[in-house]
């Protein structure tokens, strides 16, 4: 056994690490298992706290209602649209800018980079952002959701550091010596070599767009353009009763019992796409972040 | 050198075009998936190809039907606001075209969005349809974001339905005017007037009748008798399973009307969650520093000490409390809850069958008040500074106050979902039939609580006189009048209360002065109640408790409340 070769202190250390890791793992996993179990349970079983690990009073009613709800479907499609287009814009902008700033022969690169980093610490507040979006005519359009966060300074720095450190300058000189143009170098050498960092940025921005709530909430007015988190929040809200703000709690109670049975199904519907994407990117994921971190 | 720089420039330009190109690709699905229905009316929707077209169409139509934008707080149970029955009826009757901006369902988010809209300058929707609190309304009103509606409300040619209330029910009108007038004298909102007695006294106590019978006990009527019953519940194994698993008295702050101390306190001093009025109705007083409060604490501590009052009631959330009520063997002897919805299966729940309503108990001083809430109409419907035709917007708001429309806003389509026709009402039983009310509103089809396209889930101004609640169809299934019976019983048992302190509206200054004090004191009072009752803090420290509250600014609160009360008296 491999374990034998460790001395007693190490064994103890590993044992404790595993115990703590398993504990953390269970703590993180349990809520998810609960949500999945609850999504297949009846509303009454959930509200009386009978659901622990496995579905109680198995039913598909929650999913039935969720998939028959037209708002959920449009919300889902909108979310896909915002995520795909928003992520595409993020990637193109960030990688291009990151590449330009990674080259040390770009005049003023430092100033530009400073301006980018400046936004990480100081930003306009909600109202000035709203005024900007309104003046651009973006209100209640897809642009309001995908343009304001087109470049995140944090992602930009990851991209830049990656290209600076893991793509040797000599490669550029060699390519130029062979008669390669800047564009061609960027497209056929830098981009293929940047796959790890691209997959990291892809996941970052895709998850960001998929879960994005505040921007869409403020900028979108038409229900046809609502993304899934807005619809989700709407349904979660109707399952809660705050007697102090409601004039007619008895009526709210009726709504709450219905919302109870569908909220968990909806949460599952929201989480699943991200879980599906994750394994495809995961292998690049740790790799990509580490590259930026260790060498940067 | 020059050549290289040129190349660089070219590469930058190319990169830019690439970005624009890809961004352009992203846009095409958006314009096809959302056909800009906001600018086009429903009839012309299909004909619309692009934004420009839509605007011209809308302009051409504006002669025929006038246009208003309305920001409404959405409900996920409304299928489609544009094709909704209530929307269509409103548009038809008033010859308007309503265009909806959706506000989030979460009240705090909706308020954030409203404040961003208001402070971000630019165009706002003509009408805001959401409930707001007094201080927010005052703030927006004074900033000129909301228009003062007073002149329109006084003009019966614009607001015929509002002025009709004045004629028919002057008492209601007086209360409404009091409630919607801001401290600066402006009226910035309409209201939803939907008084239902069942909702005024949610702190109903349910006692286990089966256990009383098992132990041969009488229904308690005084606090002393109640304590004896609780002691018996705790010690004599009333559910007969040989195990001491009984929880004689429980409740939860997280369920509607579920905070049991509120029920008990009112046998000692009247309390409905804040300040109250003195017996001569002149002074504002704080019940939670009175001797009655102290006696109530002593009494509850006794109950706790004898193992009757479940200390978990101070910490349980709704799920835990419901789990307790739904145990296979009933373990609960007495619980406060607004309704039977907290038992799994409601009226048909096997455990609920054991319970019956307990009347407010008579305290040592002879008080037997029920916790009674003021009916305080919500303030909903505002016209913003961007509205070009406030008279039209006002007329639209007034439309909802017509009885039929108000009822439609809650019960759906007239003639299909509800009816006031003699033929329908005469065969039905009124909710308060036991009190001598005849049915005047028949519910043919219950649309509340399910996905529907008939109304806006009561997010609209409303005026329904209480007669239409008492006379409402009890929805009794053949021979099953339990719902109506409980309501009648609740009405009979829980009506004793002193004159209530009306809802006070504060000026901005007053509000700033007391809002923090108010929150602090109420939090402290609730927390200390649990401490005293569970014995963590001795009642000998009562004077210290009084001093603490005094230091938190009780005097300021009382004085400010007194000023506000004197203003509306």
């Amino acid at each position: 056994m491999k374990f034998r070769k460790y001395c007693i202190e190490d064994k103890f250390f590993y044992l404790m690490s595993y115990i703590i890791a398993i504990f953390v793992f269970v703590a993180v996993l349990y809520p998810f298992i609960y949500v999945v179990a609850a999504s297949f349970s009846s509303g009454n079983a959930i509200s009386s706290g009978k659901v622990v690990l496995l579905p109680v009073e198995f039913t598909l009613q929650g999913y039935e209602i969720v998939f028959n709800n037209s708002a959920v479907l449009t919300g889902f499609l909108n979310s896909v649209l915002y995520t795909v287009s928003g992520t595409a814009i993020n990637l193109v902008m960030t990688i291009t800018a990151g590449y330009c700033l990674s080259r040390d022969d770009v005049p003023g690169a430092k100033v530009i980079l400073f301006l980018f980093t400046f936004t990480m610490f100081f930003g306009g507040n909600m109202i000035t952002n709203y005024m900007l979006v309104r003046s651009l005519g973006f209100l209640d359009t897809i642009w309001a959701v995908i343009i304001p966060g087109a470049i995140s300074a944090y992602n930009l720095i990851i991209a830049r550091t990656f290209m600076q450190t893991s793509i040797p300058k000599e490669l550029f000189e060699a390519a130029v010596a062979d008669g390669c143009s800047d564009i061609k170098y960027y497209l056929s050498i830098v981009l293929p070599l940047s796959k790890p960092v691209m997959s990291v940025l892809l996941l970052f921005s895709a998850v960001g767009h998929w879960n994005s709530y505040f921007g869409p909430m403020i900028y979108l007015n038409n229900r046809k353009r609502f993304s899934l988190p807005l619809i989700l929040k709407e349904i979660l809200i109707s399952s809660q009763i705050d007697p102090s703000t409601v004039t007619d709690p008895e009526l709210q109670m009726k709504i709450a019992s219905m919302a109870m049975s569908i909220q968990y199904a909806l949460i599952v519907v929201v989480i699943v796409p991200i879980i599906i994407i994750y394994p495809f990117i995961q292998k690049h994921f740790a790799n990509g972040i580490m590259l930026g971190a260790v060498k940067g | 050198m020059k050549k290289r720089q040129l190349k660089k420039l070219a590469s930058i330009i190319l990169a830019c075009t690439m970005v624009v190109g890809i961004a352009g690709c992203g846009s095409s699905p958006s314009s096809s998936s959302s056909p800009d229905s906001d600018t086009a009316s429903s009839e012309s929707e299909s004909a619309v190809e692009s934004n420009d077209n839509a605007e011209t169409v809308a302009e051409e139509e504006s002669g025929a039907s006038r246009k208003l934008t309305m920001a409404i707080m959405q409900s996920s149970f409304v299928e489609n606001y544009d094709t909704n029955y209530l929307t269509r009826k409103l548009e038809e009757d008033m010859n308007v075209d309503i265009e909806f901006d959706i506000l989030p369902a979460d009240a705090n988010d909706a308020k954030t969005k409203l404040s961003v809209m208001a402070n971000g300058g630019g165009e706002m929707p003509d009408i805001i349809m959401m409930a707001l609190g007094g201080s927010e309304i005052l703030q927006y009103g004074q900033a000129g974001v909301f228009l003062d509606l007073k002149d329109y409300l006084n003009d019966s040619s614009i607001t015929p339905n509002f002025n009709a209330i004045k004629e028919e029910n002057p008492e209601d009108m007086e209360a409404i005017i009091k409630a919607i007038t801001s401290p600066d004298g402006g009226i910035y909102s309409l209201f939803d007037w939907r008084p239902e007695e069942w909702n005024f006294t949610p702190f109903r106590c349910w006692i286990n009748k089966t256990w009383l019978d098992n132990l041969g006990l009488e229904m308690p009527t005084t606090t002393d008798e109640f304590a004896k019953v609780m002691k018996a519940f705790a010690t004599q194994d009333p559910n007969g399973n040989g195990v001491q698993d009984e929880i004689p008295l429980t409740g939860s702050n997280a369920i509607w009307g579920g905070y049991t101390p509120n029920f008990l306190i009112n046998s000692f001093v009247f309390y409905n969650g804040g300040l109250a009025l003195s017996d001569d109705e002149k002074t504002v007083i704080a019940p939670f520093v009175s001797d009655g409060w102290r006696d109530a604490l002593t009494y509850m501590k006794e109950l706790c000490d004898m193992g009757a009052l479940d200390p978990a009631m101070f910490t349980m959330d709704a799920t835990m409390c419901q789990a307790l009520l739904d145990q296979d063997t009933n373990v609960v002897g007495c619980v406060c809850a607004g309704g039977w919805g907290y038992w799994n299966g409601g009226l048909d729940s096997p455990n609920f069958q054991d319970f019956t309503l307990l009347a407010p108990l008579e305290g040592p001083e002879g008080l037997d008040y029920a916790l009674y809430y003021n009916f305080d109409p919500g303030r909903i419907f505002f016209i913003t500074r961007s509205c070009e035709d406030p008279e039209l917007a006002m007329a639209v708001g007034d439309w909802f106050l017509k009885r039929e429309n108000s009822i439609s806003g809650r019960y759906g389509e007239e003639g299909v979902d509800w009816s006031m026709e003699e033929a329908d009402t005469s065969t039905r039983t009124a909710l308060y039939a036991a009190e001598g009310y005849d049915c005047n509103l028949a519910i043919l089809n219950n649309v509340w609580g399910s996905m529907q396209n008939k109304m806006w889930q009561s997010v609209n101004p409303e005026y329904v006189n209480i007669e239409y609640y008492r006379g409402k169809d009890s929805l009794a299934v053949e021979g099953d009048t339990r719902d109506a019976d409980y309501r009648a019983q609740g009405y009979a048992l829980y009506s004793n209360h002193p004159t209530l302190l009306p809802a006070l509206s504060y000026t901005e200054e007053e509000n700033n002065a007391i809002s923090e004090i108010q929150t602090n004191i109420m939090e402290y009072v609730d927390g200390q109640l649990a401490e005293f009752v569970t014995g963590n803090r001795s009642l000998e420290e009562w004077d210290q408790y009084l001093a603490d509250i005094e230091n938190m600014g009780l005097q300021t609160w009382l004085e400010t409340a007194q000023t506000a009360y004197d203003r509306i008296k």
Side-chain angles (χ1 to χ4, degrees):
Chain A
M1 249 178 75
K2 216 178 167 190
F3 204 65
R4 283 222 181 120
K5 74 176 184 213
Y6 298 113
C7 65
I8 183 87
E9 288 91 346
D10 277 357
K11 273 183 194 165
F12 182 72
F13 176 77
Y14 278 110
L15 191 70
M16 290 312 288
S17 305
Y18 277 116
I19 290 174
I20 293 172
I22 286 169
F23 185 74
V24 171
F25 173 71
V26 169
V28 172
L29 189 69
Y30 178 70
F32 181 68
I33 291 181
Y34 177 80
V35 167
V36 174
S39 73
F40 289 106
S41 305
S42 74
N44 280 333
I46 303 166
S47 61
S48 54
K50 285 182 189 147
V51 180
V52 180
L53 206 60
L54 292 173
V56 178
E57 298 169 28
F58 184 86
T59 167
L60 288 172
Q61 195 199 9
Y63 289 95
E64 226 167 82
I65 298 172
V66 164
F67 288 116
N68 284 331
N69 186 333
S70 61
V72 172
L73 188 69
T74 43
F76 191 87
L77 293 179
N78 283 332
S79 268
V80 170
L81 173 69
Y82 298 155
T83 306
V84 171
S85 54
T87 310
I89 290 179
N90 285 158
L91 273 187
V92 173
M93 302 286 267
T94 314
I95 297 285
T96 317
Y99 168 64
C100 294
L101 294 174
S102 76
R103 291 263 301 262
D104 40 21
D105 51 346
V106 175
K110 277 206 174 138
V111 179
I112 296 173
L113 188 67
F114 171 75
L115 290 178
F116 273 120
T117 32
F118 186 78
T119 63
M120 284 174 75
F121 306 105
F122 306 96
N125 63 16
M126 194 166 65
I127 289 169
T128 44
N129 281 335
Y130 179 84
M131 291 166 88
L132 176 67
V133 169
R134 180 172 54 77
S135 314
L136 290 171
F138 284 174
L139 272 194
D140 205 17
T141 65
I142 177 177
W143 305 113
V145 181
I146 58 176
I147 295 292
I151 289 198
S152 120
Y154 178 77
N155 289 350
L156 175 72
I157 290 171
I158 294 184
R160 171 181 164 273
T161 316
F162 176 86
M163 291 186 207
Q164 237 169 14
T165 53
S166 54
I167 305 177
K169 248 180 247 149
E170 291 74 18
L171 214 52
F172 176 65
E173 281 156 18
V176 170
D178 285 343
C180 181
S181 70
D182 272 305
I183 296 296
K184 190 144 194 235
Y185 173 69
Y186 174 64
L187 291 178
S188 15
I189 298 176
V190 175
L191 286 187
L193 286 175
S194 304
K195 267 188 204 150
V197 76
M198 279 166 80
S199 63
V200 170
L201 299 187
L202 180 91
L203 193 71
F204 276 177
S205 38
V207 172
H209 280 290
W210 186 258
N211 292 336
S212 161
Y213 172 75
F214 196 75
M217 187 272 280
I218 292 285
Y219 299 131
L220 299 182
N221 294 327
N222 192 318
R223 206 142 177 244
K224 288 188 180 129
R225 286 189 253 290
F226 275 15
S227 59
L228 203 50
L230 294 184
I231 308 285
L232 174 69
K233 183 74 178 273
E234 196 182 287
I235 290 177
L236 292 183
I237 279 298
S238 50
S239 73
Q240 294 163 358
I241 315 168
D242 182 358
S244 61
T245 61
V246 172
T247 40
D248 199 340
E250 187 81 342
L251 291 180
Q252 290 301 314
M253 256 167 73
K254 286 190 188 148
I255 289 193
S257 69
M258 161 145 166
M260 185 70 95
S261 64
I262 56 176
Q263 58 178 340
Y264 290 105
L266 192 54
I267 294 175
V268 172
V269 171
V270 174
I271 303 176
V272 160
I274 294 291
I275 293 184
I276 292 175
I277 300 174
Y278 188 73
F280 294 103
I281 311 179
Q282 190 207 19
K283 61 176 176 188
H284 300 290
F285 193 67
N287 217 357
I289 298 189
M290 295 283 278
L291 277 170
V294 176
K295 294 184 186 165
Chain B
M1 265 317 249
K2 266 199 168 170
K3 211 175 163 189
R4 262 186 87 176
Q5 276 184 353
L6 211 71
K7 260 190 190 169
K8 250 183 251 160
L9 192 72
S11 70
I12 291 170
I13 291 171
L14 265 170
C16 289
T17 37
M18 228 163 58
V19 169
V20 173
I22 289 184
C25 288
S27 85
S28 51
S30 87
S31 50
S32 61
S33 77
S34 44
D36 293 303
S37 56
D38 52 345
T39 41
S41 79
S42 51
E43 300 96 319
S44 57
E45 203 169 6
S46 54
V48 177
E49 293 294 337
S50 73
N51 253 331
D52 297 354
N53 269 343
E55 266 152 33
T56 35
V57 171
E59 266 164 36
E60 277 165 17
E61 275 190 355
S62 64
S65 96
R66 301 162 295 177
K67 205 164 162 175
L68 284 176
T69 45
M70 180 188 292
I72 187 166
M73 198 160 139
Q74 66 175 337
S75 159
S76 45
F77 293 96
V78 178
E79 218 169 271
N80 185 331
Y81 282 94
D82 293 320
T83 60
N84 197 285
Y85 165 77
L86 196 67
T87 315
R88 283 186 285 124
K89 187 153 190 275
L90 169 65
E91 291 184 336
E92 223 167 84
D93 287 3
M94 301 302 296
N95 187 27
V96 287
D97 180 15
I98 304 281
E99 186 186 293
F100 289 97
D101 276 1
I102 303 292
L103 293 172
D106 180 300
N108 287 331
D109 287 348
K111 283 174 189 170
T112 310
K113 186 159 176 175
L114 177 64
S115 101
V116 169
M117 275 181 182
N119 293 312
E123 194 85 344
M124 287 182 76
D126 298 320
I127 296 169
I128 307 286
M129 193 72 97
M130 70 176 286
L132 286 175
S135 58
E136 289 152 330
I137 295 172
L138 180 66
Q139 219 174 341
Y140 285 126
Q142 287 188 327
V145 175
F146 293 159
L147 304 184
D148 191 346
L149 310 178
K150 216 185 215 163
D151 294 340
Y152 305 117
L153 291 176
N154 287 332
D155 183 346
S156 61
S157 65
I158 303 174
T159 53
N161 299 315
F162 178 81
N163 285 284
I165 302 172
K166 224 181 263 179
E167 306 290 315
E168 285 167 27
N169 297 296
E171 262 177 44
D172 285 359
M173 199 63 215
E174 200 185 318
I176 288 170
I177 295 283
K178 252 185 203 174
I180 63 175
T181 307
S182 286
D184 67 347
I187 295 181
Y188 302 107
S189 68
L190 285 182
F191 51 88
D192 56 348
W193 181 266
R194 181 179 44 224
E196 300 196 359
E197 264 131 355
W198 187 249
N199 293 331
F200 300 166
T201 58
F203 290 88
R204 281 174 278 269
C205 192
W206 305 87
I207 191 164
N208 195 323
K209 185 80 174 43
T210 315
W211 287 11
L212 284 178
D213 293 344
N214 287 352
L215 302 179
L217 297 166
E218 292 285 309
M219 181 70 94
T221 56
T222 67
T223 45
D224 286 342
E225 287 172 29
F226 183 72
K228 278 181 198 126
V229 167
M230 286 300 114
K231 176 142 196 153
F233 278 4
T235 51
Q236 297 178 18
D237 187 28
N239 64 5
N241 63 353
V243 191
Q244 207 190 3
D245 54 357
E246 286 85 359
I247 299 168
L249 178 60
T250 189
S252 161
N253 209 356
I255 69 180
W256 179 50
Y259 193 53
T260 311
N262 279 350
F263 170 79
L264 295 172
I265 287 167
N266 279 286
S267 302
F268 298 87
V269 56
F270 179 74
Y271 172 67
N272 67 355
L275 301 180
L277 270 186
S278 63
D279 290 336
D280 59 0
E281 294 168 28
K282 284 196 179 125
T283 336
V284 179
I285 56 163
F288 42 82
V289 294
S290 66
D291 289 340
W293 190 271
R294 191 197 160 137
D295 297 340
L297 292 180
T298 318
Y299 176 69
M300 286 189 281
K301 178 157 192 313
E302 275 167 27
L303 289 180
C304 189
D305 285 347
M306 69 171 76
L309 187 147
D310 175 19
M313 77 163 68
F314 298 111
T315 50
M316 271 197 294
D317 64 17
T319 315
M320 289 152 82
C321 187
Q322 277 171 274
L324 211 56
L325 294 176
D326 283 334
Q327 305 257 318
D328 291 335
T329 324
N330 205 350
V331 294
V332 175
C334 197
V335 64
C336 266
W340 40 85
Y342 294 103
W343 279 268
N344 189 354
L347 279 171
D348 295 318
S349 150
N351 282 4
F352 180 71
Q353 308 310 320
D354 290 339
F355 288 94
T356 182
L357 272 175
L358 176 68
L361 303 162
E362 196 183 321
E365 308 284 330
L367 299 183
D368 58 349
Y369 291 134
L371 194 163
Y372 206 94
Y373 282 125
N374 261 327
F375 175 67
D376 188 17
R379 298 169 72 181
I380 197 166
F381 184 91
F382 310 89
I383 300 178
T384 69
R385 56 164 189 237
S386 302
C387 183
E388 280 165 7
D389 193 352
E391 289 190 9
L392 174 64
M394 192 67 243
V396 164
D398 183 65
W399 179 86
F400 288 99
L401 300 179
K402 194 176 171 193
R403 181 177 302 140
E404 287 76 19
N405 300 334
S406 280
I407 294 178
S408 278
R410 160 73 178 83
Y411 296 107
E413 191 170 347
E414 182 173 6
V416 177
D417 301 316
W418 60 270
S419 154
M420 294 198 300
E421 299 289 325
E422 182 73 38
D424 293 308
T425 54
S426 58
T427 56
R428 287 156 199 266
T429 323
L431 211 47
Y432 282 70
E435 302 288 325
Y437 288 94
D438 289 329
C439 178
N440 52 14
L441 175 62
I443 310 299
L444 310 175
N445 174 30
N446 193 5
V447 288
W448 187 271
S450 57
M451 197 67 167
Q452 47 78 23
N453 209 13
K454 303 278 192 166
M455 40 86 176
W456 304 344
Q457 215 73 20
S458 272
V459 182
N460 52 262
E462 188 172 338
Y463 174 74
V464 182
N465 185 271
I466 196 158
E467 299 298 314
Y468 282 89
Y469 165 65
R470 293 174 180 151
K472 195 186 88 178
D473 189 348
S474 61
L475 284 175
V477 189
E478 194 69 37
D480 180 3
T481 55
R482 287 177 294 174
D483 186 335
D485 290 347
Y486 279 122
R487 279 167 200 264
Q489 216 183 330
Y491 179 71
L493 295 180
Y494 289 85
S495 50
N496 182 23
H497 63 88
T499 307
L500 302 169
L501 178 66
L504 302 172
S505 61
Y506 296 109
T507 65
E508 204 178 336
E509 276 164 53
E510 287 170 348
N511 202 45
N512 288 342
I514 62 164
S515 63
E516 205 186 321
I517 297 179
Q518 209 172 337
T519 334
N520 286 347
I521 292 186
M522 288 325 294
E523 255 173 39
Y524 183 76
V525 166
D526 283 343
Q528 292 307 306
L529 187 144
E531 297 282 298
F532 281 127
V533 170
T534 53
N536 284 346
R537 191 171 181 184
S538 157
L539 270 161
E540 278 157 28
E541 286 176 54
W542 173 254
D543 290 336
Q544 181 59 41
Y545 164 85
L546 293 183
D548 285 347
I549 292 184
E550 207 56 51
N551 287 339
M552 291 168 116
L554 178 65
Q555 218 44 48
T556 320
W557 184 12
L558 282 175
E559 277 160 20
T560 316
Q562 186 72 47
T563 318
Y565 175 64
D566 290 341
R567 201 162 41 217
I568 57 167
K569 200 160 58 177

